Amino acid sequence: MSLPTHEQLTAALATVHDPEIKRPITELGMVESVQVDEAGVVRLTVLLTVSGCPMKDTIDRDVRRALGAVPGVTGVELTLGAMTDEQRAELQTTLRGGKPAKEIPFAQAGSLTKVFAIASGKGGVGKSSVTVNLALALAAAGRTVGIVDADIYGHSIPAMLGIADHRPTQVEDMIMPVPTPSGVSVISIGMLKPRRDQVVAWRGPMLDRALVQMLADVYWGDLDVLLLDLPPGTGDMAISLGQHLPGAEILVVTTPQEAAAEVAERAGTMASMLHQRVVGVLENMSYLVCPHCGPEHRIEIFGSGGGARVAATLSQRFGYDVPLVGQVPLEESLREGGDAGKPVVESDPTSPAAQVLREVADRLDARGRGLAGRQLGLTPTAKF
Ligand SMILES: Nc1ncnc2c1ncn2[C@@H]1O[C@H](COP(=O)(O)OP(=O)(O)OP(=O)(O)O)[C@@H](O)[C@H]1O
Ligand SMILES: [Mg+2]
Ligand SMILES: [Zn+2]
């Protein structure tokens, strides 16, 4: 058999993507040298962005697999090295595409990424559960999805996705989001602070800086959808979001309860004051499927009508349709999935909750990528 050509090897290596940056390693300056001897053994050095890169096993495996598939290759001797500071600086320039730092890509005119912020009036209504499940459902539908966990009080997103112990890789002052096994890119405010207990002291300006950091310093690449898990209520983070990402659309999560519905309305009103469009209301913990009768008997543990009420109130207040986009039942598998780091749309995809969440994801997705339907800041603000 003839020896593999350099072109064949390069083409094979180009199929290997850096798991964090999601671009071919050949484009990122990560392949330092490739040689092949007369026996067909390929010797190469691949430079990791940082030594001890958490993704090195993945890269190792993918490189071996790609080269092993080239006809004539009889063996692969792979050395994993680390980039020098200069090489990292070069990579950073490549990634920025020549643009200056500290720009929020999603706020640029012509950005095609749909941004949805998941908001609620109060805590514990299932915002984070909704965020991770929508993200995975969108990813399963073929979208490139990122999550910003901006909830200073909770930051439970990484645990729900099984990446609680992961820390983002940093390339100079650019941060790589942590990829989940299903390819969703995640940054959590909890990953940015050195110690867990530091969070209590965070105030407005610090939160603002943290949000900008998560949006501008993180290399998101070309996302179809970005989901933000906001802290509950109408606080500083919501204001920062309104300033930095006025094009974000808000999904309000509430429970069927009367009191929860009222606070959810406030969260929705706040969004509108910041000129953000509320895309819909999602009612969570709506009912329990009766274990005896099955789906036709819904036990309404937390009352009923909260979601519909919030949707009606916000529609009236804003003068556009704010639909109730779904009612997610209470389900043990949803909680278990979150606790186990495997959200219900993946762990129990046929469950009623997973089905509703997938429908909601489809609905958000159907709003399409691009500028259509986006609020351009001209719509009158809500009246009180
Ligand atoms: N539909 C549901 N069925 C069963 N359990 C649920 C459901 N929705 C959420 N839970 C559970 O309720 C708890 C709170 O949910 P979650 O953390 O998603 O809410 P949150 O609004 O993000 O809360 P926080 O304000 O603490 O961030 C979690 O243990 C979660 O697993
Ligand atoms: Mg949460
Ligand atoms: Zn029953």
Side-chain angles (χ1 to χ4, degrees):
M1 193 183 283
S2 59
L3 287 176
T5 64
H6 210 269
E7 284 71 36
Q8 284 175 307
L9 296 175
T10 309
L13 287 169
T15 66
V16 178
H17 287 211
D18 179 272
E20 293 168 316
I21 306 174
K22 296 186 175 24
R23 276 171 52 180
I25 56 171
T26 45
E27 276 179 25
L28 301 173
M30 293 172 69
V31 181
E32 190 182 47
S33 59
V34 190
Q35 273 155 11
V36 56
D37 68 14
E38 289 104 73
V41 176
V42 179
R43 284 189 188 78
L44 79 163
T45 301
V46 170
L47 300 176
L48 304 170
T49 50
V50 287
S51 62
C53 169
M55 300 298 148
K56 73 166 182 289
D57 293 344
T58 310
I59 295 174
D60 187 293
R61 185 197 61 206
D62 293 351
V63 166
R64 286 176 195 281
R65 188 181 293 163
L67 291 176
V70 177
V73 171
T74 58
V76 176
E77 280 180 24
L78 169 61
T79 307
L80 292 179
M83 288 185 174
T84 61
D85 289 349
E86 274 128 55
Q87 287 166 322
R88 262 202 300 276
E90 223 165 274
L91 170 61
Q92 196 182 16
T93 311
T94 309
L95 295 181
R96 283 213 179 104
K99 287 192 205 78
K102 287 287 176 195
E103 245 181 23
I104 297 175
F106 315 110
Q108 305 304 308
S111 164
L112 295 175
T113 306
K114 296 290 294 176
V115 182
F116 296 107
I118 320 299
S120 71
K122 59 172 210 157
V125 298
K127 238 176 334 94
S128 304
S129 306
V130 166
T131 305
V132 295
N133 280 292
L134 292 180
L136 291 182
L138 287 162
R143 303 291 167 244
T144 314
V145 185
I147 299 180
V148 167
D149 174 11
D151 187 348
I152 26 152
Y153 307 110
H155 49 83
S156 49
I157 294 282
M160 286 181 172
L161 289 167
I163 51 168
D165 306 326
H166 294 233
R167 288 292 165 270
T169 301
Q170 197 150 348
V171 175
E172 302 303 294
D173 57 354
M174 195 179 259
I175 301 165
M176 299 301 146
V178 176
T180 71
S182 15
V184 172
S185 301
V186 182
I187 267 302
S188 169
I189 194 161
M191 294 169 176
L192 300 180
K193 60 192 177 63
R195 292 203 336 265
R196 270 191 94 74
D197 52 353
Q198 215 173 307
V199 70
V200 267
W202 288 41
R203 292 284 176 272
M206 281 180 84
L207 287 180
D208 191 80
R209 221 173 305 133
L211 181 70
V212 171
Q213 201 183 0
M214 290 190 286
L215 295 170
D217 294 350
V218 172
Y219 175 73
W220 290 106
D222 188 19
L223 292 182
D224 294 316
V225 185
L226 180 72
L227 300 177
L228 289 109
D229 185 8
L230 294 183
T234 53
D236 293 332
M237 191 58 99
I239 295 171
S240 289
L241 181 71
Q243 282 166 352
H244 298 296
L245 279 184
E249 299 185 297
I250 311 294
L251 179 67
V252 174
V253 180
T254 183
T255 67
Q257 258 165 317
E258 201 56 19
E262 254 163 51
V263 284
E265 280 168 24
R266 274 207 293 279
T269 304
M270 171 79 162
S272 182
M273 283 170 64
L274 299 167
H275 296 281
Q276 289 166 321
R277 192 180 173 90
V278 179
V279 273
V281 175
L282 179 58
E283 188 182 84
N284 187 29
M285 311 187 185
S286 294
Y287 57 89
L288 193 70
V289 173
C290 175
H292 306 291
C293 319
E296 64 278 11
H297 182 195
R298 298 175 166 193
I299 307 170
E300 291 171 333
I301 296 188
F302 294 129
S304 67
R309 198 191 97 181
V310 178
T313 306
L314 295 181
S315 298
Q316 197 196 16
R317 210 172 276 174
F318 305 156
Y320 59 80
D321 183 36
V322 179
L324 176 63
V325 290
Q327 291 178 287
V328 182
L330 266 167
E331 224 166 68
E332 194 157 22
S333 62
L334 191 150
R335 186 190 51 75
E336 285 168 353
D339 290 347
K342 204 159 170 36
V344 69
V345 295
E346 279 189 351
S347 62
D348 192 5
T350 57
S351 71
Q355 288 177 28
V356 175
L357 286 159
R358 253 198 322 273
E359 279 164 26
V360 175
D362 286 346
R363 230 172 132 158
L364 294 181
D365 198 31
R367 295 180 61 78
R369 203 180 167 178
L371 302 169
R374 193 173 279 191
Q375 191 177 17
L376 297 172
L378 304 170
T379 323
T381 322
K383 289 190 210 70
F384 294 91

